[in-house]
Amino acid sequence: MLSVRARQIAGVTSLVGFIVLVLTLLQLNTVARISLDETGSRAEMLGNSIYQSAFGVLMVGPAADDAAAADNPREALRNDLGIRSILESAIGYSVNVTYAAIVDDAGVAVVHSSPELEGTTMPPQEPFEALVGQRPLTRARTIYSDATNYEIQQPLLVGDREWSVRIGVSTLLIADQLWNTFRQAITTALVALAVALLVSVLLTRWMLRPIHVIRSGLTRLGRGESGVTLDLPPGEEFRELGTSFDALSAQLTAARDQKAPAAPTAYETMVASLEDAVALFDRGGTVMFTNPAMDAVLPSLKPGVTITEALPPGHAALLLVQESLQSRRPHGPLVARLAGEGSDERERQLATHPVPGTGTDELVGVMLVARNLDYLSRVHSTISYSRKLAALGRLFAGVTHEVKNPLNAMTIHLELLKGKLTKAGNGSAEIAKHVDVIGAEIKRLDEVVVNFLKFTRPEELKLEPVDLERMIAHVARTVEPEAKAHGVAVKVDVPESLPLVNGDASMLGQVFMNLAVNAVQAMPDGGTLRFDARAVGRRVRVDVVDTGQGISPENLAKIFDLYFTTKKKGSGIGLSMVYRIIQLHDGEVEVSSTPGAGTQFRIFLPQA
């Protein structure tokens, strides 16, 4: 894509080139026509001279020579010195004339400008008038494509026979004459194009100067400079534009001075949610933007205040920002203790990064980043814990596999032992009871191992868009018979427009079914089970609330622990699986409970 300047230069040069080309062609056509007219006129003058001389020689009178001329006109013409002189000087009449001759009615040259051709037959050539009468383009193609002789003929009566005077004109000589003129025209055209190119460059620079001035002014306004004005060329068309720009600059300056709140931009909204503290300074060290995290770390940094006013001399952040403004290079990281929220001090990792402009060496400002090392430590600890948990899960999976094999073998042998005791009969009933107890305990231990294996090695997620409104309605219909048996009313408050979530439908169904069954079992004397769902930002929140017995404070922190249960026949793995599945979906689960009043489980899941 060509720039405006390049397009304007190309346009002016093309226009001038087209005009020069047209004028050159017109000039060449004019020169060719004039040259042909001049050649024809000179050739006709030459023919007239030859004719007059020949007529005088061939005139019959009483003189003896007249009688001789009448008897032998060929010899009379050849021996006449005047005619011979005119023929020999024929080429001098015009540079384009190649020959002159008197030809008899049989086409034989009687006298010729080249004596060696006298007595030879001269085939007739195209008349010169045919060349002059052609159209300009056809005439030019004829002149430059063929080396042809054209003739100008004039009849000459000799007795009762018609001879002719022929003047030969060569197109090759005409082309040479025009080529000399054409070279001059090309030279003139090239000079005109060079001058046009130079003038167009200067004209473009002069015409585009206001655009460069306006762009520079807008760039300065974008950097936050105050009182920006335009130095536009004088003229009515620019005066109004300059006035409008100055008014806009004054309004922006007044709004900035009054610190009028502006709508947050997209990058401000994005930076505001960062855990890191971020501040942006212009080239003069004035604060342009701070996110909430920076407001908590360095509350003295306010938009519109310079960093030297906000921070004391020698402050680590002040030194880093000043070094980046001077060197235009990043500096840091530097660890310093800064006052955080409240009165405590925390270690922060400080670093500065220059913000380049559109130009090569242009600098918009500097960005200061203060990173909470405590938060980084927690993140590293979480990652380390997750790795250890994954390794422990693989270990437990192996241990579980090794435990199941002996349990299966024990179950098989107990069945064989029960069969033998049944056949033995006497006194074996008491032993069979003990065998049944052992078998039941082995079965219970096997179920514990299977559930533990499911917890440590869950099925692979099959993520897809899931409609929670339909899923929760299905869960409510499924638990409704058991709820009615306990006197529990099931209420669902989920809008049809609820956004889809990204998850595994089977696992999420297991989560809500588990919570619903637990809630119904927690209300043996009746109550209300309520499902409530809403969209919150880019997530969906689901509340499962009951009015049952509630959970005591000492047990509330342990309900998601594996094998923890307050039920007599509970496995202690249901809520652990709920917590595990929500974790696998990058979600969150919260629980709040009041003994005697009920329990609320709140789940957050990402939207699809």
Side-chain angles (χ1 to χ4, degrees), residues 1-308:
M1 188 68 180
L2 294 176
S3 63
V4 175
R5 181 179 182 182
R7 290 200 297 268
Q8 187 170 7
I9 293 175
V12 173
T13 307
S14 301
L15 179 61
V16 173
F18 176 74
I19 295 174
V20 170
L21 177 62
V22 171
L23 293 178
T24 301
L25 293 177
L26 291 176
Q27 181 189 7
L28 290 176
N29 179 59
T30 303
V31 170
R33 181 172 51 81
I34 293 174
S35 178
L36 291 176
D37 291 342
E38 181 183 0
T39 300
S41 299
R42 290 179 178 273
E44 288 179 0
M45 290 176 59
L46 176 62
N48 290 332
S49 298
I50 297 173
Y51 175 83
Q52 294 294 333
S53 298
F55 183 79
V57 171
L58 296 175
M59 182 184 303
V60 178
D65 56 346
D66 293 338
D71 293 336
N72 192 354
R74 296 177 185 275
E75 290 299 325
L77 292 175
R78 289 174 181 170
N79 295 329
D80 186 82
L81 296 178
I83 293 177
R84 182 66 66 182
S85 176
I86 295 174
L87 292 176
E88 290 177 355
S89 61
I91 299 178
Y93 278 84
S94 175
V95 294
N96 301 324
V97 173
T98 58
Y99 64 87
I102 298 176
V103 182
D104 63 13
D105 54 349
V108 177
V110 178
V111 287
H112 199 286
S113 57
S114 298
E116 64 271 12
L117 296 178
E118 293 177 358
T120 61
T121 301
M122 294 182 60
Q125 303 293 331
E126 288 287 334
F128 184 73
E129 291 77 7
L131 175 63
V132 177
Q134 292 180 352
R135 293 182 178 180
L137 291 179
T138 305
R139 186 169 57 209
R141 185 166 56 250
T142 301
I143 292 174
Y144 286 104
S145 61
D146 298 327
T148 307
N149 284 328
Y150 287 82
E151 287 184 344
I152 297 176
Q153 299 183 6
Q154 187 171 352
L156 177 64
L157 293 176
V158 179
D160 57 350
R161 294 187 296 178
E162 183 178 332
W163 292 7
S164 62
V165 178
R166 296 186 188 181
I167 309 298
V169 178
S170 173
T171 57
L172 181 61
L173 298 177
I174 296 174
D176 289 341
Q177 183 183 18
L178 293 179
W179 178 246
N180 294 330
T181 306
F182 184 63
R183 281 201 298 267
Q184 297 176 358
I186 289 179
T187 303
T188 304
L190 293 177
V191 172
L193 285 177
V195 173
L197 181 61
L198 178 61
V199 172
S200 63
V201 171
L202 298 177
L203 182 63
T204 301
R205 182 175 300 177
W206 176 75
M207 293 184 65
L208 294 181
R209 180 179 176 275
I211 297 179
H212 296 308
V213 173
I214 294 171
R215 185 179 67 178
S216 176
L218 292 174
T219 303
R220 292 169 62 191
L221 279 180
R223 295 172 187 165
E225 295 187 22
S226 302
V228 179
T229 58
L230 298 181
D231 182 20
L232 293 174
E236 186 67 28
E237 62 275 13
F238 295 121
R239 185 181 300 113
E240 184 177 352
L241 179 61
T243 303
S244 301
F245 185 90
D246 293 344
L248 175 63
S249 176
Q251 292 176 3
L252 292 176
T253 301
R256 191 179 295 114
D257 293 340
Q258 295 173 2
K259 297 181 181 179
T265 60
Y267 82 88
E268 289 177 343
T269 304
M270 179 181 64
V271 175
S273 60
L274 293 179
E275 180 72 22
D276 295 336
V278 177
L280 187 62
F281 303 86
D282 63 13
R283 293 184 304 173
T286 302
V287 181
M288 298 174 60
F289 168 78
T290 58
N291 68 342
M294 182 61 77
D295 294 338
V297 175
L298 294 174
S300 58
L301 294 179
K302 299 293 183 183
V305 179
T306 63
I307 189 171
T308 54

Side-chain angles (χ1 to χ4, degrees), residues 452-470:
F452 181 75
L453 184 61
K454 288 182 179 180
F455 180 80
T456 56
R457 191 174 59 190
E459 298 178 3
E460 183 178 354
L461 286 177
K462 299 178 181 179
L463 297 178
E464 59 183 355
V466 178
D467 187 351
L468 288 183
E469 190 271 334
R470 296 180 58 185

Side-chain angles (χ1 to χ4, degrees), residues 2 297 315 326 363 462 475 514 528 591:
L2 294 176
V297 175
H315 195 282
Q326 293 175 0
L363 180 69
K462 299 178 181 179
V475 171
N514 201 323
T528 301
V591 59

Side-chain angles (χ1 to χ4, degrees), residues 521-580:
Q521 293 175 357
M523 296 181 286
D525 299 328
T528 301
L529 170 61
R530 178 169 57 86
F531 293 92
D532 181 87
R534 294 290 183 272
V536 181
R538 288 293 303 163
R539 299 193 299 177
V540 173
R541 185 197 70 202
V542 181
D543 292 339
V544 182
V545 185
D546 66 62
T547 58
Q549 301 172 352
I551 304 173
S552 61
E554 61 273 12
N555 291 334
L556 190 62
K558 298 182 291 184
I559 60 172
F560 295 121
D561 292 348
L562 188 61
Y563 300 132
F564 176 80
T565 180
T566 58
K567 301 177 184 178
K568 293 182 179 181
K569 296 183 179 181
S571 64
I573 199 172
L575 289 180
S576 298
M577 287 300 298
V578 168
Y579 186 81
R580 180 69 167 149

